[in-house]
Amino acid sequence: SPPVGSRASVTIHVEGMTCISCVRSIEGRLSAFDGVHKINVSLEKKEARIEFDPKRTTAEKLREGIEDMGFDATLPTNFV
Amino acid sequence: MATQKHVFTVEMTCEGCSGAVTRVLNKQKDKVSKFDVDLAQQRVVVESTLSSDELLEILKKTGKATTYVGLEN
């Protein structure tokens, strides 16, 4: 397993998903991003929970990735 | 380069999908003069000075299966 510190997680709020196909598009594309360990998108909660390697990517880059796909993506306000 | 009308097939299953395609194209306002997203026909028509390859790259950002059909007059 990876050493502690190379794993971070963020829950990004996503607006505009209406079906399971939207969910799969986001999961498919984001899981191919550099530094993404795991992604779980909930249509019901309108959010994407992503586990990533903070040395290889940032929460803001992940947010932009979802935004580029055509959805409204916002980081939690308390995210640092 | 002159503006051309490019036709694409995009796998869209719901309004969220077509909405996503619409938003992605809206972001290219300076390069895309006009576009039409047809969910029922799985068809996207884009009027732009960009090449079909460049447009394909933009559409593929949505993560949906996209193919280029050709030019429309």
Side-chain angles (χ1 to χ4, degrees):
Chain A
S1 64
V4 180
S6 68
R7 224 175 169 92
S9 73
V10 62
T11 301
I12 300 174
H13 181 76
V14 183
E15 282 289 341
M17 303 186 287
T18 54
C19 71
I20 198 73
S21 162
C22 301
V23 169
R24 290 210 186 105
S25 301
I26 296 176
E27 283 183 343
R29 195 171 161 87
L30 264 282
S31 61
F33 267 45
D34 180 54
V36 172
H37 292 304
K38 201 175 162 189
I39 171 160
N40 199 287
V41 178
S42 165
L43 183 60
E44 213 176 33
K45 293 184 188 165
K46 293 186 183 176
E47 63 183 32
R49 190 179 157 74
I50 307 166
E51 284 178 31
F52 62 99
D53 181 345
K55 286 179 192 141
R56 284 159 68 199
T57 190
T58 63
E60 174 56 23
K61 272 190 196 162
L62 298 170
R63 189 199 69 77
E64 277 170 21
I66 298 175
E67 191 86 34
D68 277 348
M69 294 184 64
F71 297 96
D72 252 336
T74 41
L75 289 175
T77 46
N78 60 349
F79 194 82
V80 278
Chain B
M1 202 176 156
T3 300
Q4 289 181 304
K5 247 184 175 180
H6 298 274
V7 184
F8 298 87
T9 303
V10 183
E11 214 177 271
M12 300 177 285
T13 49
C14 67
E15 307 220 327
C17 300
S18 58
V21 175
T22 302
R23 280 160 154 272
V24 165
L25 288 171
N26 265 333
K27 284 186 190 170
Q28 305 289 332
K29 256 183 188 154
D30 46 338
K31 295 168 200 150
V32 171
S33 47
K34 214 172 153 190
F35 65 89
D36 182 60
V37 181
D38 189 332
L39 176 59
Q41 308 263 354
Q42 306 272 293
R43 219 170 93 107
V44 178
V45 181
V46 188
E47 279 181 48
S48 175
T49 53
L50 294 174
S51 71
S52 57
D53 282 347
E54 288 170 309
L55 292 171
L56 197 59
E57 278 313 301
I58 292 165
L59 289 169
K60 279 193 170 167
K61 276 189 172 185
T62 58
K64 303 186 188 306
T66 307
T67 46
Y68 183 53
V69 178
L71 287 174
E72 189 177 78
N73 298 316

